Amino acid sequence: MSKLKVNKKHKDKLFRKIFRKKKDLLALYNALNGTAYTNEEDLEITTLEDVVYMGMKNDTSFIIDHIMNLYEHQSSFSPNLPLRGLLYFADLYRAHIEPIKRRLYTETPLLIPTPQYFVFYNGTKDQPERQILHLSDLFIQKEKAPALECTAVMLNINLGCNRELMEKCSLLKQYAQFIACIRDFINKGCRREDAVIKAVDTCIKNGILSDLLRKNKAEVMNMILTEFDEEDYREFLREEARDSGLAEGLAEGVQAIISICQDFHLSYEDTLKKLTEKLSISSEKAASYLEQYWNHDESTV
C-alpha cells in the first residue's frame, strides 16, 4: 500500500460546524437528555481550541446545569474512546478550576460539574444504535477495584438509526441525510469530489442543511474531503498494525517449529520440509527462515 499523507492543517469537522451555535447545541442537548432548556446563556462553551487529535480539533464541550458535556463525532469505532475522553476531561477540569486552584488544598470540598460523554458514530461498519464503553474494560488487572472510571455513550447516527433522537433534533437528522447522500453517489460510481459536489447541490435543493451548504459550500466540501483523507489515513495505520501483527505472529510460529524440530534432533533438511508443510510456504522462504533462526550450537542426528 502506498503511504498516505494527512492534511496537517487543523481542520474543523462538519459536525462541529453544524453545532457551533449555542441554540443548535442546546437543541441537541435537549434531545439527548429529555430536557427543555430555551435560554442559550445557560450554556457555557468549554471546548479547548488548542487541543488537536490526529490533525483534527476535538469537537465540542460545554457546561449546562452543572454538567460537563463532551460531544465527539467519529467515523470509525475505537474501544479506546473512554481513555481519550478521560484525558480530555482532565484538561477540561484543569482549565475549569484554574482560577480557584488554591482551593484544592483547603478543607472545603471543591465541587465540580458532572461529566457526560457522548460519541456520535456514522462510520460504514455496522455498530449498535447505542453502546456504552467503559474505561475499566481497558484495565489489565481486572481483580482490583479501579480508582477511575470513564464511560462513553456511543450513538449510531447513520440514517435510519436512533430515529426517535433524530426526530427530536432536526439538524442531527439532516447531517445524517447529507452523509448518506454523499455515500449514495459514491456507491453509484462517482469520484469523491464529484459525489460531494452532487450531494451538496441535492441537499440544497431538498432543504437539507440548505442554509449552511449554500453559505459555506467550498468550506464544507473541504471539510468533508479532509475527513475522508483522515479516515483513509486511519485505515492505513490499522492495516499496517495488522500486517505487523501477522508478521510478528508468523515469526513466532517459525521459531517455535524450528525449536521443536531441533529438540527432536531433526536434520536441517527435515526441518526445512516441516516448515514448508506446516506454513504452506516455498522452500526458498523456509530456507531464509532457517538461516535466520537455526541454532547451529544444537547437535542433530
Side-chain angles (χ1 to χ4, degrees), residues 8 12 26 38 60 64 67 81 85 120 126 135-136 156 173 197 214 217 219 231 271 276:
K8 294 299 182 182
D12 271 352
L26 191 60
T38 57
T60 302
I64 186 171
I67 296 176
L81 285 166
F120 300 90
D126 288 339
L135 178 70
S136 55
N156 191 332
K173 181 179 180 180
I197 292 171
R214 191 180 294 110
K217 185 173 182 178
E219 183 184 2
E231 180 55 30
T271 304
T276 57

Side-chain angles (χ1 to χ4, degrees), residues 7-135:
N7 187 342
K8 294 299 182 182
K9 294 180 180 179
H10 301 156
K11 300 289 186 182
D12 271 352
K13 294 180 182 178
L14 178 57
F15 182 90
R16 173 178 156 117
K17 186 171 183 65
I18 290 173
F19 292 101
R20 183 180 296 276
K21 294 180 180 179
K22 282 188 175 184
K23 69 182 182 77
D24 298 324
L25 196 54
L26 191 60
L28 179 57
Y29 177 86
N30 284 334
L32 287 167
N33 293 279
T35 51
Y37 289 99
T38 57
N39 185 2
E40 299 172 22
E41 298 311 310
D42 290 338
L43 188 149
E44 175 193 352
I45 301 292
T46 57
T47 307
L48 302 175
E49 297 295 337
D50 59 344
V51 176
V52 177
Y53 174 74
M54 290 288 290
M56 305 285 282
K57 289 180 182 177
N58 280 278
D59 294 335
T60 302
S61 59
F62 60 95
I63 296 175
I64 186 171
D65 193 24
H66 306 296
I67 296 176
M68 178 81 79
N69 298 275
L70 173 59
Y71 290 178
E72 187 175 353
H73 166 267
Q74 286 294 319
S75 58
S76 59
F77 169 79
S78 172
N80 301 316
L81 285 166
L83 179 55
R84 284 161 44 183
L86 173 68
L87 298 175
Y88 195 71
F89 273 124
D91 286 335
L92 285 172
Y93 282 119
R94 187 177 294 111
H96 181 71
I97 68 169
E98 178 62 28
I100 53 173
K101 60 184 178 183
R102 291 184 179 179
R103 290 179 54 190
L104 281 171
Y105 305 98
T106 68
E107 296 181 0
T108 305
L110 180 55
L111 302 180
I112 58 176
T114 302
Q116 182 176 255
Y117 182 22
F118 280 103
V119 178
F120 300 90
Y121 169 83
N122 74 334
T124 56
K125 295 183 179 179
D126 288 339
Q127 291 293 339
E129 289 203 354
R130 179 187 178 97
Q131 58 182 310
I132 300 178
L133 308 174
H134 297 88
L135 178 70

Side-chain angles (χ1 to χ4, degrees), residues 225-273:
L225 292 173
T226 299
E227 289 182 42
F228 275 133
D229 289 343
E230 186 77 11
E231 180 55 30
D232 280 347
Y233 181 66
R234 288 179 181 173
E235 183 59 32
F236 167 71
L237 292 180
R238 286 193 289 267
E239 289 189 16
E240 273 203 332
R242 283 195 293 267
D243 292 344
S244 176
L246 288 172
E248 184 178 338
L250 179 60
E252 291 177 355
V254 167
Q255 292 178 67
I257 292 173
I258 293 174
S259 177
I260 291 172
C261 288
Q262 290 203 285
D263 286 345
F264 282 91
H265 305 292
L266 268 66
S267 68
Y268 187 96
E269 290 72 19
D270 287 340
T271 304
L272 179 69
K273 185 177 180 181

Side-chain angles (χ1 to χ4, degrees), residues 200-211:
V200 168
D201 292 338
T202 299
C203 288
I204 289 175
K205 181 180 178 180
N206 294 320
I208 299 170
L209 297 179
S210 54
D211 288 343

